[in-house]
Each structure stands twice: as C-alpha cells, then as structure tokens.
Amino acid sequence: MFAFSLQTVAFLAALLSAANASPCTPKTTVTGCGKALPHGQSKGGVTSVNITSNGLGRNYLVFVPPTYNKDKPTQLILSYHGGTKTALQQLQLDDLTEPEFNTDSFVVYPQGINNSWQGVPGVTIDDVLFTNDLLDHVQTQYCIDAQRIMATGKSDGAGFNNVMACDAGLSKRVAAFAPVSGAYYVDTLPCDADNVVIPCNNARSDIPILAFHGGLDAVIYYPGGERKNACLPSVPHWIQSWATREGLDAKNHTVPYANATVIYEYSSATEKNLVNLVYDSVNGHDWPSTLPNADNENAGQFPTSFNATPMIMDFFSKHQLTKVL
C-alpha cells in the first residue's frame, strides 16, 4: 500500500484550504513539457499546492507518478472528495496513488470550500471555474496529456462529476468520468425521481461514463427521492438520461460481473459500452473495494466482491478526447 508518515499526513491535512470562485470560461491549454518538477516535489510523492482562483485562495493535492517523464505527455485524473470529507481523505480512500493500481498517471485531489462542491443544494461556489483554473495551473507545471484528463469522485464529489460533464466547457476538456455513489441533485420539488428532467449543457455527445452505485446505499438512495430540499433522480433514471443524451440504445445490456454485481451497459451501432452503471445490490454508500477502507469499515458496512479502482483505471485507458480546447 502507498504509505505516508504521520508527519506527512498531518502536514498535508494542515495545508488543505478553501475559498470562493465564480463564472467560468475555459482557457487555452498550456503545456509544461520539458520542465523539471517544481521545487520540493519528487516522483511518487504527494504535494499540497495553493493557487489563486478568481483572486481567492484554493488548494489541491497532487500525486506525481513514479514513472513520470517530463518530456512525455501523461494522463491526469481528478478525484473529488465526498461531502464533509477532505482531499486527503479522498486520497486515502480511492487507492489511485497505490502502485498496485497506478504508476503512470498524475492524480489531483481538489479541496472543496467547506468540504462541499457545486451542485449540492445551498452551495453557491463556482467549482467549475476552480477546476478550469486548477487544470491551467497543473498543465503549466507538468507534461500533461490534454487528451487524457479524467475525473472521478465519491458522493457529492461524484455529483460534481455530473456538473462537469454537463458543463459546456469542461465536457470538452475532461475525456471521461467515473462517479462513485453519486449525489446528482436537481433543484426542483416535488420530486418525481423516475421522471425528473435533469438539466445538462454537455458540448459532446460521446462522453464516456462509468458510474457505481450500491443498492443498500442509505445516504444517496438508489431509487432517488427528496433530499436537502431538492430532488435526487433514481440512479437508473439518471444513467438512462445520459444514454438518451448521447444517442445510445434505450435498452441496456446487462453483464454479470461479480457476486451481487452487474454492469448495465449502453451502446449504439458505433459506440460500444460508452455509458455504464456498475450496480452492487448489497453495497452501501461506499467506494467499492475487496479490502478494508474508510467506507466499508463503518458499522454495518463490509468489503465488496470487486474493486472499483482497477475498473476505473481500465475504463480511463480506453478513452481520450479527439479534440482539445
């Protein structure tokens, strides 16, 4: 497992900070290829970075892959923490910095203001701007492959993945999304979870999505419903809406995957398995893992029969942007 000393964990946790942001216009991609790593950073290491977004301070953690070559464009994964959680806790949860799963991709862990994300009811922060500013900064510091910028996240962070995919700018900048236990709020009541219209302004009709959700999720219910004075669509309705949005067949193909787990795949004549939902009927509000983690060690929770992380890495490896901003 990827190990941190207690001093490193305390240092990173102390550096996590947050602030405001506002409306977004995606900016021109800038390359940092050929540059040495920033001072104090090393391959295989994690660093806390502060940037200015809209004149205010924001923060993220960045993992530099052990195999990084400053002259070779490298995949970047954005991983967003859940509500009330932190960037550091997401790093410790998702295993994307573990050598077993990843040795050649950057992983960036943005920190949300008040540990929350745009899209959650009552949150007025524009994290779309923050994400664009963060990507601009990262791409000036490292040799990033602009065609292979990916995003994942847990719960509210997964919900923000949906905000990004539905944003005209970021949907053209992020190649693929893998939300886990996502909270996909729609600002409307009363809540008809199986039919609610889900607003979306995606600028591409070929956005790859690999979503995960548990049938026993007691926080973000699989059938959806009212929460925080907003409407959570049922997860089947949410994933079907993406399939329709992307012109895929209305009927999914069900693939048995593991014990109590199936994958609902949506395809078309030209696009195979572009939109997918991994459904585990006995999983709760957890990041699926066969090993103990911060989610499944909670009372009433337990490891799953599969690991989400290698599935996400494999899914990302199959996709890239054909056009870059």
Side-chain angles (χ1 to χ4, degrees), residues 89-324:
Q89 288 173 309
Q90 180 66 11
L91 181 152
Q92 294 168 330
L93 176 67
D94 68 15
D95 282 342
L96 289 171
T97 58
E98 297 292 341
E100 178 182 357
F101 302 123
N102 173 34
T103 59
D104 55 8
S105 294
F106 277 88
V107 190
V108 168
Y109 297 89
Q111 176 61 43
I113 294 176
N114 297 323
N115 300 340
S116 192
W117 295 110
Q118 180 180 351
V120 175
V123 174
T124 59
I125 304 304
D126 188 344
D127 288 310
V128 168
L129 173 61
F130 169 47
T131 297
N132 275 292
D133 287 342
L134 181 160
L135 288 174
D136 288 344
H137 185 259
V138 170
Q139 288 177 271
T140 64
Q141 301 296 305
Y142 315 101
C143 192
I144 302 298
D145 187 343
Q147 291 181 287
R148 300 188 63 82
I149 296 173
M150 312 293 175
T152 185
K154 164 77 189 300
S155 193
D156 287 353
F160 183 61
N161 276 200
N162 187 66
V163 172
M164 296 164 66
C166 282
D167 177 73
L170 283 176
S171 63
K172 294 188 293 185
R173 194 168 189 181
V174 179
F177 298 86
V180 178
S181 302
Y184 312 114
Y185 292 101
V186 178
D187 185 16
T188 187
L189 288 177
C191 180
D192 182 353
D194 290 323
N195 297 287
V196 61
V197 176
I198 304 172
C200 197
N201 190 32
N202 53 304
R204 292 162 51 207
S205 60
D206 60 345
I207 299 175
I209 295 176
L210 175 67
F212 298 79
H213 219 97
L216 298 183
D217 192 326
V219 179
I220 306 299
Y221 298 130
Y222 187 74
E226 182 177 342
R227 190 171 192 268
K228 294 187 176 181
N229 294 316
C231 185
L232 285 171
S234 71
V235 177
H237 173 55
W238 175 81
I239 200 73
Q240 174 69 62
S241 294
W242 267 110
T244 300
R245 210 172 278 134
E246 303 197 37
L248 305 179
D249 294 341
K251 184 175 176 56
N252 66 65
H253 179 54
T254 302
V255 180
Y257 185 74
N259 185 38
T261 305
V262 297
I263 305 176
Y264 300 123
E265 300 176 343
Y266 290 88
S267 306
S268 70
T270 57
E271 296 282 1
K272 299 300 182 185
N273 310 334
L274 187 66
V275 171
N276 311 269
L277 172 64
V278 182
Y279 172 68
D280 186 318
S281 62
V282 298
N283 192 35
H285 193 63
D286 300 348
W287 186 281
S289 175
T290 58
L291 300 174
N293 63 23
D295 280 348
N296 62 40
E297 287 187 316
N298 292 324
Q301 306 299 317
F302 45 84
T304 51
S305 57
F306 70 98
N307 285 320
T309 300
M311 294 178 69
I312 290 170
M313 293 301 294
D314 179 65
F315 185 71
F316 287 164
S317 73
K318 297 175 181 177
H319 299 286
Q320 66 178 32
L321 291 175
T322 56
K323 295 181 181 179
V324 178

